[in-house]
Amino acid sequence: MDALLERLRSGLPAEALLTDPDITASYAHDMASFCDAGAPAVVVLPRTVEEVQHVMRTATALRVPVVPQGARTGLSGAANASDGCIVLSLVKMDRILEISPVDRIAVVEPGVVNATLSRAVNEQGLYYPPDPSSWEMCTIGGNIGTASGGLCCVKYGVTAEYVLGLEVVLADGRLLNTGRRTAKGVAGYDLTRLFVGSEGSLGVVVKAVLALRPMPPRQLVLAAEFPSAAAACDAVCRIMERGHTPSLLELMDRTTVRAVNAMASMGLPESTEALLLCAFDTPDPAADLTAVGELCKASGATEVVPADDAAESELLLQARRTALPALETVKSATMIDDVCVPRSRLGAMIEGTAAIAEKFGLTIGVCAHAGDGNTHPVVCFDHTDADESRRARESFDEIMALGLELGGTITGEHGVGVLKKEWLARELGEVGLELQRGIKAAFDPLGLLNPGKLF
């Protein structure tokens, strides 16, 4: 420990090192349940690339594991510390280095908060689409590490679609530049995409070149009530089959709607079994909403209410953004699943989740990015009740098994981390797992970066 601190201090300012155990303990884990976390030896908060390089050179020389972190809003334990590790928190590297309206790119450090970047580019008539529900807190580096999504994915895609280039400090301290600033580029293997979703296991992202889009028109939102989740999912299929491109297509089940009302008094219809929100940011969103409203009625919607203006639309979106915090108030703890299935199997996924909730005697609310099949079943449980905690974990696993049975994936945007290691192996298969481990060994032969995650 003394040797580690001495070497770190030789290349870092004093304020960049945190060693008080009471303080370092607060950096030990992210927001996931049922994920073990160790006690870090030290927390480092660098401000420069050179400081990150110094940390990695020190770690390599002394064979000390390093856990990169952003804002720790993750839900899979990917940012959890291991015993005796260096926690490398990138939150102080928070500068927006460049915004180019001509090239339609932004160059940022990893600690920039998603909402801060979004507002900065909006001021120049540009748009950075990825918008996780935690966008007011989560960082771009963390978004890259877990390949985050958000409410707009149905039209605009996830973080991976917007990362053009990266500057990465490797495990041994070398600096790697990947990708490009240009609109096109296919030179060599796509190492940039390899780092997106790697959860800090291949290198430490210290700079990112992000693609931007022109600012779209303000979107209008429609809310549709359904007598069953199956009917709402049928409407989703009809909307996509007819070629519509909504900017948002979100679903909340009855449990979620009631939780939102209880927490925020938003006046959502508690009689509904499923509430579908659909938005368009086209030149004539009202016409698009009218067409979608007819499809919802054809699928059995009991009420279809288009918003009259942007303010009313924002209120409905706020209700959806409140879904996860609201479900967290139902019991003392939650496990938030992240299973993505083909759109055509979305109804089976939600109905299957309801059956799992009944089987285990639990409250499981479902909100979903319905347009891309990404469901978020939220298992609510009393963490002080050992039996209920056990049932929560077992139900979580059954939900993931159901997703794989339906041709889906164990995570659409939250990552694997500690929580889903066993399930990643099942999804990839023996050959896929062997190749992924080989990639890890090529970038990090000593296994120092975020050990115990993914595999």
Side-chain angles (χ1 to χ4, degrees):
M1 176 70 167
D2 290 342
L4 172 62
L5 292 179
E6 183 179 349
R7 292 187 76 145
L8 287 173
R9 286 182 179 127
S10 69
L12 295 169
E15 64 271 15
L17 289 172
L18 303 178
T19 57
D20 184 326
D22 291 335
I23 296 175
T24 59
S26 67
Y27 287 82
H29 57 84
D30 62 17
M31 298 177 70
S33 300
F34 292 107
C35 292
D36 293 334
V42 60
V43 174
V44 181
L45 295 99
R47 291 184 180 273
T48 69
V49 173
E50 291 75 20
E51 290 175 3
V52 175
Q53 289 181 284
H54 174 70
V55 171
M56 295 313 306
R57 290 179 185 129
T58 299
T60 294
L62 299 180
R63 304 299 196 264
V64 178
V66 177
V67 177
Q69 286 184 349
R72 290 178 287 112
T73 58
L75 295 166
S76 67
N80 283 14
S82 54
D83 282 331
C85 76
I86 300 169
V87 163
L88 185 59
S89 173
L90 285 305
V91 294
K92 299 293 187 183
M93 298 181 68
D94 59 356
R95 294 179 299 162
I96 298 174
L97 302 172
E98 179 186 355
I99 297 173
S100 172
V102 173
D103 293 326
R104 292 184 182 171
I105 62 168
V107 182
V108 305
E109 291 182 328
V112 173
V113 171
N114 184 295
T116 300
L117 174 63
S118 295
R119 292 178 180 125
V121 301
N122 288 168
E123 290 175 0
Q124 299 199 36
L126 297 168
Y127 178 44
Y128 181 67
D131 62 341
S133 293
S134 58
W135 77 309
E136 293 280 6
M137 300 177 288
C138 64
T139 62
I140 295 298
N143 293 169
I144 292 170
T146 57
S148 298
L151 304 186
C152 69
C153 294
V154 61
K155 180 173 182 177
Y156 293 103
V158 296
T159 296
E161 275 74 56
Y162 296 90
V163 183
L164 297 178
L166 295 171
E167 195 169 274
V168 182
V169 175
L170 299 177
D172 59 7
R174 288 180 296 166
L175 192 62
L176 170 70
N177 283 284
T178 76
R180 63 196 194 277
R181 291 171 56 98
T182 54
K184 298 195 300 186
V186 293
Y189 294 129
D190 189 352
L191 297 182
T192 302
R193 194 64 175 260
L194 190 60
F195 282 102
V196 180
S198 67
E199 301 183 19
S201 65
L202 301 179
V204 182
V205 172
V206 290
K207 186 185 296 183
V209 180
L210 305 173
L212 304 175
R213 290 186 175 225
M215 175 74 83
R218 292 292 294 271
Q219 62 184 358
L220 284 182
V221 180
L222 169 148
E225 298 178 48
F226 290 88
S228 68
C233 293
D234 180 70
V236 170
C237 292
R238 289 175 186 250
I239 291 166
M240 302 309 292
E241 184 181 28
R242 295 294 177 87
H244 293 286
T245 308
S247 55
L248 173 146
L249 190 54
E250 297 286 310
L251 182 148
M252 294 188 287
D253 71 354
R254 177 179 61 180
T255 299
T256 305
V257 168
R258 290 181 175 179
V260 169
N261 278 342
M263 187 183 84
S265 301
M266 301 201 76
L268 297 177
E270 294 200 1
S271 59
T272 185
E273 291 295 317
L275 184 68
L276 191 66
L277 302 179
C278 181
F280 285 89
D281 58 6
T282 53
D284 187 7
D288 290 310
L289 291 182
T290 297
V292 163
E294 293 303 315
L295 294 176
C296 288
K297 292 175 183 176
S299 293
T302 55
E303 189 78 25
V304 176
V305 182
D308 291 327
D309 53 32
E312 190 175 350
S313 294
E314 185 55 37
L315 186 63
L316 289 170
L317 295 184
Q318 186 58 37
R320 171 60 184 88
R321 290 189 186 278
T322 305
L324 295 182
L327 287 167
E328 290 173 352
T329 67
V330 173
K331 290 273 189 169
S332 64
T334 58
M335 289 190 74
I336 304 174
D337 217 325
D338 178 35
V339 175
C340 189
V341 297
R343 294 186 193 99
S344 58
R345 309 307 303 276
L346 182 61
M349 183 69 208
I350 294 177
E351 288 184 339
T353 299
I356 291 169
E358 183 175 357
K359 172 183 174 180
F360 288 96
L362 294 167
T363 298
I364 302 179
V366 179
C367 51
H369 308 308
D372 51 24
N374 193 173
T375 67
H376 292 308
V378 181
V379 183
C380 307
F381 65 100
D382 181 354
H383 76 283
T384 65
D385 184 326
D387 181 66
E388 192 164 311
S389 295
R390 174 190 59 78
R391 287 184 278 126
R393 180 67 211 226
E394 290 178 4
S395 70
F396 185 89
D397 287 343
E398 287 209 11
I399 290 169
M400 284 193 286
L402 173 64
L404 291 180
E405 290 169 12
L406 294 174
T409 175
I410 60 168
T411 175
E413 57 189 3
H414 292 172
V416 175
V418 177
L419 190 61
K420 299 186 176 183
K421 286 171 58 176
E422 173 191 349
W423 289 95
L424 178 65
R426 296 191 195 189
E427 180 171 333
L428 293 179
E430 185 177 339
V431 175
L433 193 61
E434 179 184 344
L435 290 172
Q436 297 229 1
R437 285 174 171 159
I439 292 169
K440 164 72 170 171
F443 282 88
D444 181 21
L446 298 177
L448 298 178
L449 280 165
N450 217 7
K453 313 300 170 29
L454 293 171
F455 320 120

